[in-house]
Amino acid sequence: MTMSQLLPDKLVEEEILCRVPATSLKRLRATCKLWNGLFNNRRFAKNHFDKSAKQFLFLMLTKEYRIRSLSVELKGELGLLDPLHSVQFKITHVFHCDGLLLCTYEGYHRLVVWNPCTGQTKWLNHPVSRYKGYITNTPGGNITYTLGCYEDKKSHNSSYKILRLVEWEKNQRFEIYEIKSDSWRILDVNPDCILMYNHSSVSLKGKTYWFALDEKELDPVVLLVSFDYTTERFARVCLPNPYGIYRIMSLSVVREEKLSVLLRRRDALESEIEIWVSNPIDEHKVVSWSKILVGDEPRLGLCRGTSFLVDEEKKIALCCDRGICNQDTTKDYFFLYIIGEDNELTQVDFGASSTWQLHSPLLFNYVPSLAQIQ
Amino acid sequence: MSKIIVLKCVGHNPKDFELDEAVAVQFGCIKDLFHSDFDAESKIVVDVPMKFNSYIIGRILEFCSSRASFSSDRAYWEQDFFHPCREPNQRKRKELIAIMEASEYLGMESLVELTTQSLANYLKGKNPLTIRSLWKVEGDLTAEEEAKALAMGVAKLGH
């Protein structure tokens, strides 16, 4: 620190900058060497995660294969240049975990783990599955990827893994990639149910959650399943109605502490949809659910990809449906619905697109962070 | 008779501050003195570094003695003690930094948190040139480093 400098370096690093929101902080890295260097500092990233106020943002995947912010406090779109092909990376699927985005494009089998705040990226080629070398190119995918956080036993630092679900000959197999060791291996684990990967999956506190079907019972049961990237084991979570059969299901996260589900029962005579929010998820507590919104829209969920975002405090939800038009099967139609207080539902037509490869849930939560990809 | 701690401020406007136990235990660097084994009637003098003048120490002691009257430390800080404003002038910036550094020295975590959060709020939404000018930060990146950092910092999602 020079004599004229007002801010003491130690306090800048340990107490001040770690309290600046991530999206503002990224603009400040060009201020000086000290501040710029903090973006590659794991200890600072952890400090920032602990001390800064979380920014709970909503993002959307666009038909131009880019990511757009829906949050009024942020503006703009995100895109990536694939360094291998020197073209815009067409993002067809996004999975968010701890401020990192796992983006995939089925067209040429590439995936990337990306932190938009630090600019850090980790590119991977879509590897040949160890399960008989089979790769599918089926749109809507028999291969899905999710990202999770685990604690390294030796260093006690957080690191990240990618879980790959391969559906092959009606069986679901798992493989796991450790960013730290840059290697894939088969994961010999059985969730004892069928993961419904075509519905949305989400990350919460480092674990991934999916809907799953238990077909062992006479009446199949739909439930939630979580995967712990530290223990590499699955665990079950009950839905609001543990014996319900649902026609429409979608998952979301509320303020990085609760799960939310959008459900329409298969046996419902009406076209009522329900949005439930859990209690704060904690491995030591039983999950309980509260119904916060109800909507009546017969067309919602008729399409093949429903995603939603919910603001529990304002009691409002934004739902997006995506599906094929009967009149023109080369196009996907997108519809946005807003469900508000007093259960009012407003439909906003969104448009049509020929981007049939875009099969990912389009709406997702995002909390910017300085998490290091390692 | 309870123990008495004296904070001795030297330099410009030297002054001694006598602290009763209720105030002194709020400072991490002093509270352990009350558990040490010495004559209960004695005074302990703590020399405060010259960089922390008596005005700043006096402001901190004012915070310590009044905070209990408010619903929270943050409420007192924002409503009555420091009045966060859109853009502090030079005098207010220096005062904020002095209170922050003195709080850190005295081990008063609550005040460190309040002062550093206020500073973080003032940095939010600014660009590097403004930060350098207002807070006297030396821009020591090379032209190439700065261009790269700017490109990474400006891109999309952020303001």
Side-chain angles (χ1 to χ4, degrees), chain A residues 2 4-6 10 15-16 19 24 26-33 35 69 73-74 77-78 118, chain B residues 97 104 113 116-117 120 124-126 128 131-132 135-136 138-141 145 152-153 155-157 159:
Chain A
T2 62
S4 61
Q5 195 159 313
L6 288 179
K10 180 170 170 281
E15 298 287 349
I16 300 171
R19 291 182 158 88
S24 280
K26 73 197 290 285
R27 292 188 77 212
L28 303 185
R29 63 184 303 169
T31 303
C32 64
K33 275 190 192 299
W35 295 24
S69 168
E73 62 265 44
L74 292 180
E77 281 192 358
L78 279 178
T118 63
Chain B
I97 291 170
E104 199 228 358
E113 192 177 319
T116 52
Q117 185 62 64
K124 179 183 163 186
K126 303 288 192 307
I131 299 288
R132 287 178 198 162
W135 300 96
K136 305 287 183 279
E138 186 186 352
D140 54 357
L141 290 162
E145 287 170 337
M152 293 175 84
K156 321 338 189 204
L157 272 204
H159 61 89

Side-chain angles (χ1 to χ4, degrees), chain A residues 1-2 4-8 10-11 14-17 19-21 23-24 26-36 51-53 55 57 59 66-69 73-79 116-120 366, chain B residues 51 90 93-94 97 100-101 104 109 112-121 123-129 131-132 134-142 145-159:
Chain A
M1 184 175 80
T2 62
S4 61
Q5 195 159 313
L6 288 179
L7 299 172
K10 180 170 170 281
L11 281 170
E14 293 182 5
E15 298 287 349
I16 300 171
L17 292 185
R19 291 182 158 88
V20 178
T23 50
S24 280
K26 73 197 290 285
R27 292 188 77 212
L28 303 185
R29 63 184 303 169
T31 303
C32 64
K33 275 190 192 299
L34 173 71
W35 295 24
N36 192 34
K51 291 181 179 169
S52 67
Q55 294 174 283
L57 309 180
L59 299 183
R66 295 168 64 85
I67 297 170
R68 183 180 302 155
S69 168
E73 62 265 44
L74 292 180
K75 299 170 188 175
E77 281 192 358
L78 279 178
C117 268
T118 63
Q120 197 182 7
Y366 170 62
Chain B
K51 64 187 286 191
Q90 175 83 331
R93 285 197 289 275
K94 286 185 174 178
I97 291 170
M100 176 184 72
E101 289 189 282
E104 199 228 358
E109 283 185 27
V112 170
E113 192 177 319
L114 288 168
T115 50
T116 52
Q117 185 62 64
S118 289
L119 260 163
N121 293 344
L123 297 180
K124 179 183 163 186
K126 303 288 192 307
N127 64 57
L129 284 178
I131 299 288
R132 287 178 198 162
L134 291 178
W135 300 96
K136 305 287 183 279
V137 179
E138 186 186 352
D140 54 357
L141 290 162
T142 64
E145 287 170 337
E146 186 166 324
K148 189 177 173 186
L150 277 172
M152 293 175 84
V154 169
K156 321 338 189 204
L157 272 204
H159 61 89

Side-chain angles (χ1 to χ4, degrees), chain A residues 86-339:
Chain A
S86 297
V87 293
Q88 184 203 323
F89 185 67
K90 292 184 177 179
I91 303 170
T92 55
H93 190 281
V94 181
F95 186 86
H96 166 255
C97 171
D98 289 355
L100 301 180
L101 301 180
L102 173 63
C103 305
T104 53
Y105 174 53
E106 291 181 358
Y108 48 74
H109 312 305
R110 289 268 278 169
L111 51 153
V112 60
V113 181
W114 176 27
N115 187 329
C117 268
T118 63
Q120 197 182 7
T121 53
K122 171 70 179 177
W123 290 89
L124 291 92
N125 289 320
H126 191 346
V128 171
S129 173
R130 281 161 170 74
Y131 291 105
K132 306 296 184 189
Y134 178 78
I135 296 178
T136 177
N137 291 327
T138 306
N142 291 21
I143 292 184
T144 57
Y145 294 90
T146 55
L147 179 70
C149 181
Y150 76 102
E151 186 179 306
D152 184 73
K153 288 172 189 171
K154 285 180 187 172
S155 63
H156 299 288
N157 288 327
S158 295
S159 190
Y160 293 90
K161 295 176 182 172
I162 297 173
L163 181 71
R164 182 161 79 159
L165 161 61
V166 180
E167 189 161 84
W168 170 59
E169 293 182 351
K170 297 184 182 179
N171 290 314
Q172 289 182 338
R173 299 283 187 251
F174 301 93
E175 294 165 309
I176 204 152
Y177 171 85
E178 286 186 27
I179 290 178
K180 205 167 176 180
S181 60
D182 193 19
S183 60
W184 287 92
R185 56 182 160 86
I186 291 173
L187 190 63
D188 186 15
V189 64
N190 181 6
D192 206 25
C193 54
I194 308 294
L195 297 194
M196 302 172 80
Y197 57 86
N198 279 334
H199 299 269
S200 48
S201 53
V202 295
S203 172
L204 182 60
K205 298 185 180 178
K207 294 182 184 178
T208 300
Y209 292 81
W210 300 260
F211 286 105
L213 197 63
D214 186 344
E215 293 180 317
K216 296 191 297 296
E217 305 290 329
L218 195 62
D219 291 323
V221 172
V222 176
L223 45 93
L224 286 183
V225 161
S226 69
F227 181 75
D228 185 320
Y229 289 78
T230 302
T231 61
E232 296 184 354
R233 289 290 177 268
F234 289 93
R236 293 187 172 202
V237 180
C238 277
L239 283 170
N241 180 349
Y243 299 102
I245 299 294
Y246 302 102
R247 184 149 51 92
I248 302 152
M249 298 175 293
S250 188
L251 259 177
S252 187
V253 168
V254 180
R255 298 181 71 83
E256 293 293 288
E257 62 169 6
K258 301 177 183 179
L259 289 171
S260 181
V261 291
L262 182 154
L263 304 169
R264 179 186 290 161
R265 291 181 55 157
R266 193 181 291 277
D267 57 355
L269 295 175
E270 304 298 327
S271 51
E272 195 173 85
I273 56 166
E274 302 170 348
I275 293 180
W276 297 73
V277 175
S278 73
N279 54 342
I281 298 295
D282 184 323
E283 59 185 11
H284 303 297
K285 291 181 186 169
V286 174
V287 177
S288 62
W289 298 91
S290 303
K291 192 192 304 185
I292 64 160
L293 285 169
V294 174
D296 190 340
E297 174 48 65
R299 290 170 296 177
L300 181 62
L302 290 184
C303 307
R304 55 190 168 94
T306 303
S307 55
F308 77 105
L309 303 165
V310 62
D311 187 322
E312 189 185 9
E313 201 176 300
K314 294 177 184 168
K315 294 251 186 311
I316 191 166
L318 179 67
C319 308
C320 181
D321 243 5
R322 181 179 51 82
I324 298 172
C325 173
N326 288 334
Q327 284 75 40
D328 184 351
T329 55
T330 65
K331 284 189 180 165
D332 267 9
Y333 275 79
F334 307 84
F335 296 96
L336 275 179
Y337 299 92
I338 299 171
I339 305 175

Side-chain angles (χ1 to χ4, degrees), chain A residues 43-54:
Chain A
R43 196 169 71 90
F44 177 77
K46 174 72 172 61
N47 208 17
H48 186 270
F49 182 83
D50 292 338
K51 291 181 179 169
S52 67
K54 299 287 180 289

